[in-house]
Amino acid sequence: MLTRTSRFALLAALSLGCRVTLRAQVSTAGAGTMQKPPPVSGQSYRIETGMEERSNYISGSIGAGAGYVDNLYPGSTGSSTGQASEKLISLQPRITFDTKSARLHASAAYNPNFIFYQPTSGLNEADHNGVFDFGYRFSPRFNVDVNDSLLRSSSGFGQIGTGISGSAQTPALIVGYAEHLLNIANAVASYQFSPHGMIGGLGDVGTLTYGGSSQTTGLYDSASRGGGGFYNHRLSGSQYVGAIYKYEQAFAYPQQGQYETQTHEIDAFYTIYVTETYSLSVAGGPQHYRATDPLAPTTQSWSPAITASMGRRSPHASFAASFSRTVTGGGGLIGAFYTTSAGAEGVWKLSRLWDGALNVNYNINNNAAPLNGLTTPGGHTLAGSLSLGRTISAHTRATLKYDRIQNHYDGIPAVANNPNADRIMVSYFWDFQRPVGR
């Protein structure tokens, strides 16, 4: 398990880099340069309209909004019964920086959100969302990409729409109102040893901690780490096949000790780039899991794992979707689970002035190890958002957004007492963008 010092060192090193702007799905580099398909790239699909990739810029916005939220956790307002609904006002600044050179492409994004509730000012919160990525090309054949995302929030709404990727990851439980800190870091190193062959290494580390209030009863801190390698072979200019080995170790921390879930997975994958901005990927294979319970005998077995994803962009729309079925641990729960996840994100340019966006995530967790007095029974979560925006001028825009979180976990008091949450917001933004390094 990583020590507090090693975690701090990793985050400090990652913060020296900045966010890699997500590349188009097919590179415009020379014909000899291979792609890292979505199952091994470690990056999310680009979700934005327009076909040009921006680089060397600084951009930002200042936003203010007003809204309404229902079904706050009853204990958070001092009330023992009934649902609490609140009006809210939010301040939403954002800053993004990007830099690109012949070898380096990096960027950083920081998006805090300050929310003031009425009439219960004791619920006021300051959320923080930062993403830092760093990509460096040591030679035409050897590349390294590192990314880190950090989210501190008192609600689960900030976890909706955090990206669609081609690889399965352990999701944190999306709870309506529970203070938490979520950090996930990934690294991918690749070496192209021939015109049609590439090998690489994968690594990840994550932590999830809760505030320890009555809003988080039944939720548990967790940590994860993993690694692996891959072989990537180019069949043609548009088709790739390969194999991936992944090892993952997840810990959950109840008062009685720690629950450990280990998985070993070997997948074969196939990716086809239908066009330069439209790809389909599928990966699957056997997965071995071992669940070590401090109150019960160790459980281990084999299970099939599968992941499928797609992404498509056009000048007026962008859409990505994924599906995965795998064994996971952690994520706020105690136990090992057969996790089935599906997600989709899209943006559309409806007209010259109007645009829309959609995000949806659905997760099902079924117990893979026997239940006891410590482990969490399974359940499912549906979370999504729908927004409509209008451009008012060259630097101003307005949005109307609706978010919903719906949970069914009877074994978690914080969720059972507050299974569903809705929020609607009207916001006004002033935007800017400036070139840098030119």
Side-chain angles (χ1 to χ4, degrees):
M1 185 174 64
L2 294 178
T3 65
R4 184 183 300 272
T5 302
S6 62
R7 291 176 187 167
F8 178 81
L10 174 61
L11 293 177
L14 291 172
S15 64
L16 294 176
C18 303
R19 180 179 176 86
V20 176
T21 300
L22 298 180
R23 300 179 179 87
Q25 296 177 29
V26 171
S27 173
T28 56
T33 303
M34 293 179 61
Q35 293 299 293
K36 291 190 289 291
V40 298
S41 71
Q43 297 182 347
S44 299
Y45 291 96
R46 287 181 62 186
I47 302 296
E48 61 184 12
T49 56
M51 302 300 290
E52 294 184 358
E53 179 183 351
R54 297 180 302 166
S55 61
N56 294 309
Y57 67 89
I58 183 171
S59 69
S61 66
I62 300 175
Y68 175 84
V69 63
D70 75 351
N71 200 16
L72 286 167
Y73 185 75
S76 66
T77 62
S79 165
S80 58
T81 61
Q83 298 179 357
S85 300
E86 296 276 322
K87 297 181 287 294
L88 58 88
I89 297 174
S90 70
L91 297 178
Q92 307 162 48
R94 177 185 63 85
I95 188 72
T96 301
F97 175 79
D98 178 277
T99 182
K100 183 178 181 180
S101 66
R103 292 181 177 269
L104 171 71
H105 193 180
S107 68
Y110 175 55
N111 180 204
N113 192 4
F114 305 96
I115 302 178
F116 306 92
Y117 291 89
Q118 292 293 332
T120 312
S121 60
L123 296 172
N124 293 352
E125 61 182 275
D127 299 340
H128 303 275
N129 189 356
V131 183
F132 309 92
D133 288 350
F134 177 84
Y136 193 79
R137 184 170 64 89
F138 288 89
S139 72
R141 296 186 176 187
F142 180 52
N143 297 266
V144 173
D145 292 300
V146 180
N147 63 78
D148 181 84
S149 62
L150 179 69
L151 172 66
R152 181 191 182 277
S153 178
S154 296
S155 74
F157 295 115
Q159 293 173 238
I160 302 174
T162 54
I164 298 291
S165 71
S167 59
Q169 296 184 354
T170 304
L173 187 63
I174 301 178
V175 182
Y177 302 96
E179 182 180 350
H180 62 282
L181 176 66
L182 175 64
N183 177 245
I184 300 175
N186 296 278
V188 178
S190 62
Y191 177 73
Q192 184 176 341
F193 60 87
S194 74
H196 299 282
M198 175 186 288
I199 56 174
L202 311 168
D204 66 84
V205 61
T207 57
L208 172 63
T209 58
Y210 290 96
S213 68
S214 60
Q215 295 177 329
T216 63
T217 304
L219 300 171
Y220 300 93
D221 296 351
S222 63
S224 65
R225 60 186 179 186
F230 66 87
Y231 169 71
N232 179 26
H233 179 76
R234 177 165 55 187
L235 292 176
S236 67
S238 62
Q239 298 183 75
Y240 289 78
V241 297
I244 313 168
Y245 166 74
K246 292 184 290 186
Y247 168 76
E248 197 72 25
Q249 186 179 33
F251 301 92
Y253 303 109
Q255 294 180 349
Q256 295 87 342
Q258 70 178 23
Y259 193 108
E260 179 183 355
T261 304
Q262 295 185 47
T263 60
H264 298 265
E265 183 177 341
I266 301 176
D267 291 335
F269 73 84
Y270 171 76
T271 294
I272 180 171
Y273 295 95
V274 182
T275 68
E276 289 190 351
T277 56
Y278 177 24
S279 72
L280 301 169
S281 298
V282 62
Q287 183 183 38
H288 181 267
Y289 66 90
R290 178 186 177 95
T292 303
D293 188 332
L295 300 184
T298 296
T299 300
Q300 57 183 332
S301 184
W302 289 88
S303 177
I306 186 171
T307 302
S309 66
M310 62 82 63
R312 185 171 187 175
R313 290 192 305 115
S314 72
H316 301 288
S318 181
F319 181 78
S322 68
F323 170 85
S324 68
R325 195 270 190 190
T326 185
V327 176
T328 65
L333 305 176
I334 299 291
F337 298 89
Y338 298 112
T339 299
T340 303
S341 301
E345 293 189 15
V347 295
W348 293 268
K349 190 72 174 176
L350 304 175
S351 69
R352 185 176 63 88
L353 298 178
W354 291 92
D355 59 81
L358 170 70
N359 297 281
V360 62
N361 302 99
Y362 184 56
N363 296 309
I364 304 174
N365 289 302
N366 294 318
N367 294 91
L371 286 169
N372 57 42
L374 176 64
T375 52
T376 307
H380 59 83
T381 298
L382 174 64
S385 68
L386 181 66
S387 65
L388 181 66
R390 188 185 191 281
T391 300
I392 299 173
S393 70
H395 297 286
T396 59
R397 57 189 172 89
T399 63
L400 172 64
K401 186 178 182 182
Y402 169 72
D403 303 287
R404 178 170 175 81
I405 298 172
Q406 182 173 318
N407 281 296
H408 181 77
Y409 283 89
D410 293 335
I412 303 177
V415 178
N417 292 334
N418 181 39
N420 308 320
D422 299 271
R423 184 176 71 175
I424 187 168
M425 289 281 296
V426 177
S427 302
Y428 181 86
F429 296 90
W430 177 81
D431 302 311
F432 74 90
Q433 180 172 311
R434 299 286 186 274
V436 295
R438 296 179 180 176

